[in-house]
Amino acid sequence: MERYSEYKDSGNEIIGLIPKHWDLVKLKFLCSGFSNGTTSNQIDKDKNTVPVTRIETISDGSINFNKVGYVDYNTNLDSYKLKKGDLLLSHINSYDRVGNSAVYDSDIDLYHGMNLLRLTPKENINKQYLYIYFKSLCFILQMQRKCKPAINQVSVPAKVIKNLYSTFPPLAEQEKIVNFLEDKTSKIELM
């Protein structure tokens, strides 16, 4: 992609300069939900259980179905069933792993478990763009600066995450950025 002709100060010391026509927007305006998962106790897999996410499920930045937990199915779980395009964000983890994320884009049923936030991008945001932004140093540094230490881990409350900033280009440009990065990544993987 070509360099933009004009930049402006974002007003955020971590993010710095952004293209002049982009906005800086709090996440609460880009996502319609910031929900925690079910607190049902995880048990061994059997015929009455359903898979549920855990921190380990997204540890490599994608959904790993070999690292899910299981809970007994009941109708109260229906509201926790993930939908395509949902983003999962680790808000409780080690300092180095807080902010880890993944996009749920599968046809395999999966339910939202504890210790991950579920964010649903609004229609004016490309889910892959937001996921790429969550992987950026700008976002990770914002998360790390807001961490509250606990024993062997840190946490960032959902109400704090809602007020973190994201760069926000027009939707067509978000798609162009996603396509550009996917193209470059695929070429690197071929090497």
Side-chain angles (χ1 to χ4, degrees):
M1 289 183 70
E2 294 181 24
R3 185 166 168 77
Y4 294 97
S5 60
E6 292 185 74
Y7 289 81
K8 65 182 178 185
D9 185 352
S10 68
N12 181 297
E13 67 180 21
I14 293 173
I15 295 171
L17 296 175
I18 60 174
K20 188 174 183 176
H21 64 287
W22 288 19
D23 291 317
L24 197 62
V25 179
K26 290 184 178 184
L27 287 177
K28 65 184 171 185
F29 299 115
L30 301 179
C31 298
S32 59
F34 288 82
S35 60
N36 284 300
T38 178
T39 56
S40 297
N41 289 330
Q42 293 186 19
I43 58 174
D44 291 335
K45 180 181 180 180
D46 71 26
K47 65 179 181 172
N48 297 318
T49 60
V50 293
V52 65
T53 62
R54 319 184 287 183
I55 291 173
E56 297 86 4
T57 306
I58 67 165
S59 62
D60 66 359
S62 62
I63 304 293
N64 185 336
F65 285 93
N66 293 320
K67 293 184 178 181
V68 297
Y70 293 90
V71 296
D72 272 325
Y73 176 76
N74 64 66
T75 55
N76 293 335
L77 280 178
D78 289 344
S79 65
Y80 294 104
K81 188 173 181 179
L82 293 173
K83 296 179 180 87
K84 281 190 175 186
D86 283 343
L87 289 158
L88 296 174
L89 180 69
S90 180
H91 67 297
I92 300 171
N93 212 323
S94 67
Y95 180 80
D96 292 339
R97 304 292 293 165
V98 72
N100 194 26
S101 60
V103 178
Y104 175 73
D105 243 349
S106 177
D107 292 323
I108 300 171
D109 287 348
L110 184 61
Y111 293 79
H112 178 205
M114 292 190 306
N115 299 332
L116 295 173
L117 282 180
R118 174 187 188 179
L119 289 77
T120 305
K122 292 185 177 179
E123 289 187 21
N124 64 337
I125 188 85
N126 179 298
K127 67 180 181 241
Q128 285 301 124
Y129 174 81
L130 195 54
Y131 170 68
I132 289 167
Y133 185 73
F134 285 168
K135 295 290 187 189
S136 75
L137 187 57
C138 291
F139 182 74
I140 298 299
L141 287 174
Q142 286 184 81
M143 287 285 287
Q144 289 175 339
R145 282 198 176 174
K146 299 294 183 179
C147 289
K148 293 184 179 184
I151 299 171
N152 297 326
Q153 63 184 12
V154 297
S155 66
V156 183
K159 65 182 179 184
V160 171
I161 293 170
K162 288 179 182 182
N163 289 303
L164 296 180
Y165 287 96
S166 173
T167 55
F168 186 63
L171 183 57
E173 199 165 343
Q174 294 172 37
E175 292 166 358
K176 185 176 178 183
I177 291 167
V178 167
N179 292 335
F180 174 82
L181 291 173
E182 286 177 352
D183 178 62
K184 293 296 181 191
T185 302
S186 68
K187 288 178 182 171
I188 292 169
E189 290 171 355
L190 292 174
M191 297 178 126

